[in-house]
Amino acid sequence: MDDRTVVEWDKDDLNDLGILKVDVLALGMLSCLRRAFDFLRTCYGVSQDLGSIRDEHPDVYRMLSRADSIGVFQVESRAQMSMLPRLKPEKTKFYDLVVEVAIVRPGPIQGKMVHPYLRRRQGIDPSSLSVAGIEGHPA
């Protein structure tokens, strides 16, 4: 890793100092995707970009519902793989995956939000609104 500097600061220490912490992990993945699109165009004559990729491919959702996600960015950790079969992302709901990636994080896990979300999603527990005046708006 020549010419690379890595500085690790604890998020709580940064917060105490009033410094904004920004995770830039996704920037590397965006560069990887750009190179993959370039490869497809150069080698196969296929022109794709982030806006043209289908997000409702049923085989992908079946694969993720089985937690067959080794090598899939954002959903290959043990915690993510454990959540996928319980969440059962639906074949046309990309938002299911957005929620899955967002909820399997230290904050929601430590805040005990994961199991109540799954029980409400499965209809086991009723959903309730905690803010008055938002009835009729999508949750």
Side-chain angles (χ1 to χ4, degrees):
M1 287 204 201
D2 294 337
D3 299 323
R4 183 176 292 185
T5 302
V6 177
V7 179
E8 292 186 34
W9 290 40
D10 178 73
K11 65 179 174 49
D12 296 323
D13 292 342
L14 289 175
N15 188 52
D16 290 345
L17 294 170
I19 298 173
L20 175 66
K21 178 182 181 288
V22 178
D23 291 329
V24 292
L25 173 66
L27 295 178
M29 184 51 63
L30 290 174
S31 295
C32 179
L33 289 171
R34 181 189 46 77
R35 289 191 300 271
F37 292 136
D38 291 345
F39 177 80
L40 285 171
R41 189 171 24 267
T42 302
C43 296
Y44 296 98
V46 175
S47 183
Q48 290 269 327
D49 60 27
L50 286 175
S52 64
I53 295 176
R54 290 178 38 210
D55 63 2
E56 74 282 349
H57 200 289
D59 291 341
V60 172
Y61 287 86
R62 279 193 292 274
M63 177 189 85
L64 292 174
S65 291
R66 294 189 309 266
D68 183 7
S69 61
I70 296 293
V72 179
F73 181 65
Q74 291 287 356
V75 291
E76 66 179 337
S77 73
R78 287 180 190 218
Q80 297 286 352
M81 290 172 71
S82 170
M83 175 73 157
L84 285 165
R86 294 183 291 158
L87 180 69
K88 298 181 182 111
E90 294 182 25
K91 64 181 176 187
T92 58
K93 294 193 177 174
F94 181 71
Y95 186 70
D96 287 351
L97 297 177
V98 173
V99 168
E100 197 272 340
V101 169
I103 203 166
V104 182
R105 294 283 185 251
I109 291 170
Q110 291 170 1
K112 301 186 187 320
M113 298 174 179
V114 176
H115 295 292
Y117 171 78
L118 288 171
R119 287 193 304 271
R120 288 181 183 119
R121 178 182 162 83
Q122 295 166 354
I124 297 168
D125 289 350
S127 293
S128 61
L129 300 172
S130 60
V131 178
I134 62 171
E135 294 83 10
H137 296 280

